[in-house]
Amino acid sequence: MLADPGLDGGYDEFDDVGHSFSDPEDMPRHPDNSSPAQPDHDENSSVGLKDAGTVNSCLFDVFPGIAEQLDCKAVWWDALSIPSESKVCALIRITITHNNAIDLYNFAINGFSALGDKPLAVTSKLVGRMRLGVLYGGIRNFTKRKDLDKNALDGFQRLLDQSRKEPLGGHFNNFEGTLEKNLLEAQLELALLKLFELKREKNYGSDFKTDIKTVRLKIQEARSSLVKLLGESHMLTLEAYTALGELYLDCHGDTKPGQRPAEGEKILVVVLKNYGPHGKAKLALGHPKKVHMMDSLINHYDRIGLELKVNKMNSQL
């Protein structure tokens, strides 16, 4: 069983069936003695019914049967999901939570590294490093985050170049599209990190204006490419659009100064609709992404004296 990573903004999953153990106790384990994967029933619904780190017993009935049909002595399977919502994890202000998450990502990255240069294994390792970078950003280690994002960016570019020269075909028909998505995500992460650094420095001289324009153009370019590849309502596309909206709210857009905040407001309202209960990228009430955007809009409405809009937005928090 081999599943290409999807482009739907959910989990990045890689299932590679080679050989397996007939007894759960024989499986390799994480240092805390938990199983390293959470496979689901053979229906491929991508949701584990047991606690994380445990394996459903039905798989121990299914895979030995496959091994017998193929005249194999054993079957090995490995499956791992790296959540794309690690940014939510990064917002939790509990040190032990960050440390545990960082340890788990390192464990996954090392596991993928041990698989050698298989394209999916290398891709998984690079995705893991990118997600790990987000967690380091959550604990203010921005140097580490930048290094991990750059490493992932360079790795995705190499894989994409290689894939274009020597297409893998077969199960890997969507592989090039997946690499393009991952490459754009890494580019966007680095642009957003640079934007954060510029705002943190609070040095609004001529160099700032030049740098902020460069970052804005990179974000616009990334969003345009994401729209073509994934559509306007994909999470990554919306994240890039959110960054542009906030730049316009801060008067760093490419329209006339008086028009920029209004343009930024329009962008963020569109993104919020996509995240709403009837949107294509629906997020739960109180999700950090929604709260952050609503806070930006509240500050904007407060600055221009729209008290009714402030009150309405506050009531939705």
Side-chain angles (χ1 to χ4, degrees):
M1 179 171 58
L2 182 61
D4 287 340
L7 296 179
D8 59 359
Y11 290 146
D12 300 301
E13 300 182 356
F14 308 88
D15 301 334
D16 187 3
V17 177
H19 40 280
S20 160
F21 299 96
S22 59
D23 187 335
E25 295 302 318
D26 293 333
M27 290 186 67
R29 295 187 171 267
H30 187 277
D32 66 4
N33 205 35
S34 64
S35 300
Q38 186 189 352
D40 186 22
H41 284 77
D42 56 303
E43 304 140 350
N44 192 27
S45 62
S46 300
V47 179
L49 301 180
K50 289 195 174 186
D51 294 335
T54 61
V55 180
N56 290 318
S57 59
C58 63
L59 292 181
F60 293 105
D61 296 327
V62 173
F63 286 117
I66 296 174
E68 289 176 4
Q69 293 175 29
L70 298 175
D71 196 26
C72 296
K73 293 182 179 179
V75 179
W76 167 275
W77 82 79
D78 59 81
L80 182 64
S81 292
I82 299 177
S84 59
E85 289 303 318
S86 57
K87 293 180 181 62
V88 177
C89 223
L91 293 173
I92 303 173
R93 304 299 182 190
I94 304 175
T95 304
I96 191 169
T97 302
H98 281 91
N99 289 342
N100 287 347
I102 287 170
D103 287 344
L104 287 171
Y105 273 112
N106 279 320
F107 176 71
I109 291 166
N110 291 337
F112 285 125
S113 297
L115 294 176
D117 58 358
K118 296 178 183 178
L120 285 182
V122 176
T123 302
S124 304
K125 177 179 67 176
L126 295 172
V127 169
R129 285 178 177 168
M130 193 160 52
R131 304 281 184 259
L132 181 59
V134 174
L135 289 176
Y136 274 112
I139 56 176
R140 303 320 227 208
N141 190 338
F142 299 114
T143 300
K144 186 72 172 177
R145 177 181 177 181
K146 184 185 294 184
D147 290 344
L148 287 163
D149 282 344
K150 284 184 176 179
N151 178 274
L153 177 68
D154 293 342
F156 289 136
Q157 187 64 67
R158 284 195 299 271
L159 282 173
L160 186 58
D161 292 342
Q162 181 182 346
S163 175
R164 286 169 174 167
K165 290 178 181 178
E166 303 174 9
L168 295 172
H171 290 293
F172 298 90
N173 284 333
N174 295 327
F175 188 57
E176 187 172 315
T178 300
L179 288 175
E180 289 177 359
K181 166 192 171 275
N182 291 333
L183 181 66
L184 287 170
E185 182 177 358
Q187 291 173 343
L188 179 60
E189 289 291 348
L190 283 167
L192 294 177
L193 180 58
K194 180 62 177 178
L195 177 60
F196 175 80
E197 290 175 344
L198 288 172
K199 289 183 176 180
R200 186 179 56 173
E201 290 171 2
K202 295 182 179 179
N203 179 11
Y204 299 116
S206 57
D207 289 342
F208 174 82
K209 291 181 180 179
T210 301
D211 290 341
I212 207 79
K213 181 179 179 181
T214 300
V215 171
R216 176 172 52 78
L217 291 174
K218 286 183 178 180
I219 295 173
Q220 286 177 325
E221 182 181 345
R223 180 184 178 270
S224 296
S225 298
L226 286 166
V227 169
K228 292 177 183 177
L229 183 66
L230 305 173
E232 293 185 346
S233 299
H234 190 276
M235 284 289 186
L236 277 178
T237 311
L238 292 173
E239 189 165 343
Y241 208 28
T242 300
L244 288 176
E246 292 184 341
L247 277 169
Y248 277 93
L249 278 185
D250 292 337
C251 292
H252 300 308
D254 50 8
T255 60
K256 294 180 180 179
Q259 298 172 339
R260 290 169 188 169
E263 184 68 21
E265 175 193 350
K266 185 166 65 175
I267 290 172
L268 293 187
V269 168
V270 168
V271 176
L272 272 177
K273 284 184 178 179
N274 275 277
Y275 287 155
H278 305 295
K280 293 184 178 179
K282 183 171 65 174
L283 292 178
L285 186 68
H287 191 284
K289 287 182 180 179
K290 293 176 69 173
V291 172
H292 178 77
M293 274 187 294
M294 293 171 76
D295 188 53
S296 296
L297 285 170
I298 287 170
N299 289 333
H300 165 65
Y301 293 143
D302 188 50
R303 281 196 301 269
I304 60 178
L306 295 179
E307 186 176 349
L308 289 177
K309 286 196 172 184
V310 170
N311 293 336
K312 182 179 179 180
M313 194 67 68
N314 273 321
S315 69
Q316 298 173 15
L317 284 173

